[in-house]
Amino acid sequence: MLNHHTIFEDISRDPVAAFIQHTGASVDTELQNLPTLTQEGIARYVICGVKPGSFLLAVFAGERTIAEHKADHLNKPLLMQYFAFVETECPRDCHGSSDKVRAWVERGGVLGLEVTNG
């Protein structure tokens, strides 16, 4: 059985490795090229369905204008990288609209899907 406490520790220790392990992403994932401050929030959301902060919430919902307004000085120049990463490396059910994001949080991310599917 999955131990969520251990998984959160793994994500905190190395969000990129945890993302690769639980999503099947390539070892050369673009997540490693995004700021370390956002890697953990991305991993917690995708893996465990933890609702991200307002910037990442807008990114995952596909709300580019809102994401641009919520982005800080570090993330604003990387907006296209964020959207490309989400589109190409994240499960399709976790992004694209606020309804998809809400449903992803409710089901508990990839781990919720693993528990549900078997």
Side-chain angles (χ1 to χ4, degrees):
M1 179 160 181
L2 297 171
N3 180 331
H4 283 87
H5 180 71
T6 302
I7 292 165
F8 281 116
E9 287 177 354
D10 290 346
I11 292 170
S12 292
R13 188 172 30 261
D14 189 342
V16 173
F19 184 83
I20 292 167
Q21 177 185 354
H22 292 286
T23 66
S26 169
V27 294
D28 61 348
T29 176
E30 286 298 314
L31 180 58
Q32 64 193 343
N33 297 323
L34 296 174
T36 55
L37 294 173
T38 57
Q39 291 173 354
E40 190 173 339
I42 291 168
R44 280 194 317 258
Y45 169 70
V46 174
I47 297 167
C48 301
V50 174
K51 186 177 177 182
S54 60
F55 167 66
L56 288 176
L57 192 62
V59 169
F60 280 104
E63 298 170 340
R64 293 175 190 267
T65 304
I66 295 172
E68 186 174 352
H69 289 303
K70 297 290 186 179
D72 61 19
H73 70 284
L74 295 174
N75 289 310
K76 196 169 280 201
L78 302 172
L79 279 173
M80 297 316 296
Q81 283 180 259
Y82 277 100
F83 283 104
F85 163 75
V86 167
E87 279 292 318
T88 60
E89 296 192 45
C90 293
R92 66 179 177 178
D93 289 343
C94 82
H95 63 89
S97 72
S98 56
D99 288 339
K100 282 185 162 186
V101 171
R102 188 172 17 264
W104 191 259
V105 170
E106 288 173 5
R107 81 173 55 117
V110 170
L111 293 183
L113 292 174
E114 287 177 3
V115 172
T116 301
N117 292 334

